[in-house]
Amino acid sequence: MTFAREKRLLLGALALLAPLPLPLNEPRPAGVIGFPFLLVYLSVVTLFLIRAARAEARWLGPLALNLLGLGYLPFLALDLAQVGGGSLVRPMMHLVLFSLAAKLFSLEREGDKWHVVIGVFFVFVCAMATSSAAGIVLYLVAFLGLSSYVLARLAALHLVSPPRATPLPGAADSVDPVAPALLGAALLGTALLGTRRTVALLVAGTIVIAMPLFALMPRLNDPFILGAGGERSLRYITGFSDEVNLDVIGRVRGNREVALRLEVEGGETAGRLGELRLRGASFDGYTGDRWHRSSAATRLRPGADYTFRLDATPAIAAVRIYLEALGTQSLILPVQAVSVELEGPTPLLRLDRGGGVQLPAAPSTAFGYRVGLGPGPVDLAAPPSGDREPTLDLAGVTPEMTLLAAEVAGSGTDFERARRIEQHLISSYRYTLDFVGRSTADPISDFLFVYRSGHCEYFASAMVLLLRAQAIPARFVTGFLGGEYSPLGYYLVRQDNAHAWVEAYLDGRGWVIFDPTPPSGRPTVAPRSLWSLVRQSYDFLVFRWDRYVISYGTADQAELLARLRAWLRSRFGDDRGSERDRIAAAPAAPDADRGVARWLPSGWWLGIFVPLLLGALVWLRRLPRSATEAYLRLRRMVARRGVVIDATTPALQLGTRIVNSSPGAAVPVGRIIGLYLRESFGGVAASLAERRELEGLLATARKQLVRSRPFA
């Protein structure tokens, strides 16, 4: 296999792997690029690999490249016209992939291969930056392994490839004693760097170095350059919006996507939650076939400990909830919730008269919060007041409903009458999701007196109207019922667990929960099986990836640094700061102004000043300390390009050989050698300005030498 052929095959393989995740990434559902464009690109690169394997001699020249570029311009204009308010990443990535494919077919000179490597690197960065799926780790490892091997082979081939430049005068008469050793070292490096073990070590070393950098470098608040998406993309459930129709929850039955995850702190599960009922929103106004809120919410303010207190009942347990973006402002809370502590800053929470807690805006990404739990369901709603109480509104109550309510409820206390109505609906009506051919003129009346079957929205709506017919205040509530406990330590609440129930106000008891849906129609937990364990294990990976990679932010960094400082002081410090350490090791405050402010300056120092310092050191290292050092760099540069030189070759003879090989390097090489001779034989050291000039001259000479050699 010739060197040129192997280089082309290596670069083609790298270009083939780089864009594979792009159709699966953000923005959904088409990804950064669509599958049709990816298939076209892969077909072109495959054709290139076939031609490279056959060692084809003809490749695209400058004229053909220019014509291709002109032909792409109309497509680029059309691509940009489709952007509108969307992302500019898609047309730009189309352009990068087109340029990358064109460059593969025009590899002629030695320096061209680095253009392809740079293009592949940009595609790789885009693939990583636009993905939120845990599976991207497999792509990362595969790309790191292949790229490590490709770069190692390219470096080795660069050293062992024969020079293609015109023989220099005197080259045949001289023998470079360093050449055999250089060739041997190159072959040894090829053997070592080409092994699977070495590539695996390089990949592992890269990951080990990257992990602390990821943990300590400053983080942005938004985890995606393209906005929300991926495993944490927006999942609309309109059942928790300001109004809800009678069919919204029925439509999500059978949807097994995760709506939220719930962890009981301390790992104890039995007896802490009892029946897992999570409250979303409540509605008191009914108009024909939909429910709505009739009153505004009041503002809640956090306490001194940055916790929103919902009730004065002391918390006896706590859970941590990770809520997916459901397109709602409602904060999903267990019915036992007495306090809320959000992860990340928030200006306010609101509590409506129905006891629903609302965020300032519907989150576009998943987020977490900690909830303190009381011993039982907590009554957060305001009691009925006045003659215009919305929970006693008789809109939708027909005379037939009034007669049915009186017949079923009978006499007795409010609680006894409400329980009889609940039991009547449970025992006398059937749960169904089949509504084909039904009239929608008066759905609740038809449910009660015609079809006698429906789903949870119908059962809950009917009970609310029957209670109001008995002058018992009642409201319609949506949320989630039940959850699937994972052996990995948390509950999975899926969209399939969405449910509706009733809250009625009873004298002496306050607001009480009733659930008139028959048990056969309530959300159920799938039986445990090997398949369910596989699903739960995969969800665990996705959950942890979202939590500790995608959503890892400044608050997590503050907590990590605080715990690290406390651990270091406990091991190597004294006891004077023990109390301060315990405070520092506590979980980070949900508000950025509390925990993050203490550590943000040091985090930014690590992320900004350290790279600047390293960059300055690299710049100083690149700046030649003398003209002699610049001349020695030139000699090494020429030797790496395959020009055979002796250790005793005079400077002027070296310059002649370089110019014969690369006429474009005549000016920078002549200036470097002139300053070297002046310093060596005239005793005049190069000034700082001349040293800076020498750095630029070396860069120019390097470019000219690269361009002078054909791709080999």
Side-chain angles (χ1 to χ4, degrees):
M1 178 184 292
T2 64
F3 293 145
R5 179 187 177 199
E6 183 175 355
K7 290 178 182 178
R8 288 190 173 98
L9 290 175
L10 290 172
L11 293 171
L14 202 58
L16 200 67
L17 174 64
L20 292 183
L22 293 178
L24 305 174
N25 290 0
E26 319 304 339
R28 296 297 180 93
V32 178
I33 61 173
F35 277 106
F37 190 94
L38 178 65
L39 290 176
V40 172
Y41 170 82
L42 295 179
S43 301
V44 172
V45 177
T46 303
L47 176 62
F48 164 79
L49 289 171
I50 294 173
R51 285 176 54 84
R54 293 174 179 173
E56 296 284 349
R58 299 186 60 185
W59 299 94
L60 296 180
L63 178 60
L65 280 179
N66 291 332
L67 292 177
L68 277 176
L70 290 175
Y72 185 78
L73 286 178
F75 179 80
L76 178 61
L78 180 63
D79 217 2
L80 291 172
Q82 299 298 321
V83 172
S87 171
L88 191 63
V89 174
R90 180 172 295 167
M92 291 299 99
M93 190 50 53
H94 288 165
L95 178 61
V96 169
L97 291 178
F98 169 80
S99 303
L100 185 57
K103 193 63 181 178
L104 285 172
F105 278 89
S106 62
L107 290 171
E108 290 289 344
R109 299 185 180 275
E110 183 69 17
D112 291 345
K113 68 177 182 293
W114 301 117
H115 301 163
V116 174
V117 171
I118 292 172
V120 168
F121 174 75
F122 276 111
V123 176
F124 164 72
V125 170
C126 183
M128 291 298 301
T130 58
S131 175
S132 60
I136 198 67
V137 175
L138 299 177
Y139 166 79
L140 173 62
V141 173
F143 185 86
L144 287 177
L146 180 60
S147 60
S148 298
Y149 177 77
V150 169
L151 292 176
R153 288 295 299 162
L154 289 178
L157 292 172
H158 178 79
L159 291 174
V160 302
S161 59
R164 297 295 184 86
T166 304
L168 299 176
D173 301 325
S174 62
V175 178
D176 186 0
V178 181
L182 181 62
L183 180 60
L187 292 175
L188 179 60
T190 302
L192 290 177
L193 293 177
T195 61
R196 296 191 186 102
R197 179 180 298 178
T198 303
V199 170
L201 290 175
L202 288 173
V203 173
T206 301
I207 294 175
V208 168
I209 294 173
M211 290 176 63
L213 290 178
F214 172 84
L216 296 176
M217 292 295 285
R219 304 287 293 175
L220 299 176
N221 289 332
D222 190 351
F224 311 114
I225 65 172
L226 295 173
E231 299 293 340
R232 305 161 60 78
S233 59
L234 197 61
R235 296 170 169 87
Y236 285 102
I237 297 182
T238 56
F240 307 119
S241 57
D242 289 334
E243 65 175 22
V244 55
N245 61 37
L246 293 181
D247 196 34
V248 65
I249 294 179
R251 289 200 299 267
V252 301
R253 283 296 169 89
N255 187 339
R256 300 297 292 167
E257 287 191 22
V258 175
L260 62 91
R261 300 169 180 88
L262 184 147
E263 283 185 310
V264 178
E265 290 193 352
E268 299 179 19
T269 57
R272 287 292 186 96
L273 295 174
E275 180 186 51
L276 184 59
R277 189 179 293 269
L278 302 160
R279 201 172 189 277
S282 64
F283 307 89
D284 49 24
Y286 180 74
T287 53
D289 63 347
R290 64 185 58 244
W291 290 92
H292 63 273
R293 297 190 184 101
S294 63
S295 59
T298 58
R299 179 171 179 171
L300 295 174
R301 297 183 181 275
D305 57 352
Y306 290 84
T307 299
F308 292 89
R309 297 294 306 181
L310 306 178
D311 189 81
T313 304
I316 62 170
V319 296
R320 192 170 294 274
I321 296 176
Y322 301 93
L323 180 68
E324 296 293 336
L326 304 180
T328 175
Q329 292 179 243
S330 297
L331 193 65
I332 311 301
L333 298 172
V335 294
Q336 303 96 325
V338 296
S339 65
V340 178
E341 182 180 353
L342 300 183
E343 292 183 359
T346 181
L348 56 91
L349 288 178
R350 295 185 182 276
L351 178 68
D352 61 30
R353 283 183 52 83
V357 179
Q358 302 173 28
L359 294 162
S364 59
T365 60
F367 72 105
Y369 48 99
R370 183 177 182 271
V371 182
L373 303 179
V378 177
D379 184 0
L380 301 178
S385 60
D387 297 333
R388 301 178 61 85
E389 170 59 37
T391 57
L392 286 172
D393 185 8
L394 296 179
V397 179
T398 64
E400 292 83 357
M401 293 182 191
T402 303
L403 292 175
L404 177 63
E407 177 183 348
V408 172
S411 59
T413 64
D414 290 350
F415 176 78
E416 292 170 343
R417 289 185 291 143
R419 186 65 76 191
R420 292 190 192 106
I421 293 175
E422 178 189 45
Q423 290 302 317
H424 174 74
L425 292 172
I426 290 174
S427 60
S428 302
Y429 293 81
R430 182 174 56 88
Y431 183 88
T432 184
L433 293 172
D434 183 9
F435 285 76
V436 177
R438 289 198 180 188
S439 170
T440 58
D442 191 348
I444 301 303
S445 181
D446 290 343
F447 163 75
L448 288 171
F449 303 109
V450 180
Y451 302 108
R452 302 181 68 84
S453 65
H455 48 66
C456 60
E457 291 101 325
Y458 284 76
F459 283 91
S461 299
M463 183 171 181
V464 170
L465 297 183
L466 292 176
L467 288 173
R468 292 181 180 183
Q470 284 287 296
I472 298 175
R475 61 168 55 94
F476 179 90
V477 182
T478 58
F480 294 94
L481 179 63
E484 178 182 323
Y485 182 69
S486 168
L488 298 170
Y490 60 95
Y491 286 91
L492 284 168
V493 179
R494 305 183 184 274
Q495 293 192 19
D496 189 84
N497 293 101
H499 192 51
W501 60 87
V502 177
E503 288 181 356
Y505 188 82
L506 308 177
D507 291 337
R509 293 174 179 260
W511 293 99
V512 178
I513 295 173
F514 292 91
D515 195 340
T517 304
S520 61
R522 299 177 188 177
T524 58
V525 177
R528 291 191 177 184
S529 63
L530 179 60
W531 175 241
S532 68
L533 180 61
V534 171
R535 286 175 58 94
Q536 291 168 359
S537 301
Y538 174 74
D539 179 82
F540 178 80
L541 294 177
V542 172
F543 176 30
R544 296 303 176 185
W545 174 263
D546 282 351
R547 176 65 186 87
Y548 295 110
V549 177
I550 300 300
S551 299
Y552 182 82
T554 52
D556 297 296
Q557 289 179 311
E559 181 177 355
L560 173 64
L561 292 172
R563 291 182 181 276
L564 179 61
R565 185 180 71 166
W567 180 81
L568 289 174
R569 288 192 173 182
S570 66
R571 294 294 300 271
F572 307 107
D574 52 31
D575 296 333
R576 289 177 295 179
S578 58
E579 182 63 28
R580 185 169 61 254
D581 292 341
R582 282 195 295 271
I583 296 174
D591 195 293
D593 294 337
R594 180 171 65 139
V596 176
R598 186 170 61 241
W599 288 104
L600 196 56
S602 62
W604 283 106
W605 184 87
L606 288 172
I608 295 179
F609 293 105
V610 169
L612 287 177
L613 179 60
L614 293 176
L617 292 175
V618 171
W619 180 81
L620 291 173
R621 176 66 185 89
R622 288 178 56 84
L623 192 65
R625 289 172 291 185
S626 64
T628 301
E629 181 181 335
Y631 172 70
L632 293 176
R633 289 191 191 180
L634 178 64
R635 287 179 62 91
R636 291 193 295 269
M637 187 190 309
V638 171
R640 285 196 297 268
R641 296 302 185 271
V643 179
V644 181
I645 58 174
D646 194 325
T648 60
T649 301
L652 293 178
Q653 184 181 350
L654 175 64
T656 301
R657 292 186 179 182
I658 295 174
V659 171
N660 289 337
S661 174
S662 178
V667 174
V669 169
R671 176 62 172 162
I672 293 171
I673 292 177
L675 291 173
Y676 160 69
L677 294 175
R678 188 191 71 175
E679 182 177 273
S680 298
F681 299 97
V684 180
S687 64
L688 179 60
E690 288 172 334
R691 290 164 55 199
R692 291 174 178 170
E693 179 189 3
L694 285 168
E695 180 186 13
L697 293 171
L698 286 170
T700 304
R702 183 182 298 107
K703 291 179 181 178
Q704 293 298 327
L705 289 171
V706 169
R707 293 173 182 172
S708 67
R709 294 191 64 203
F711 186 81

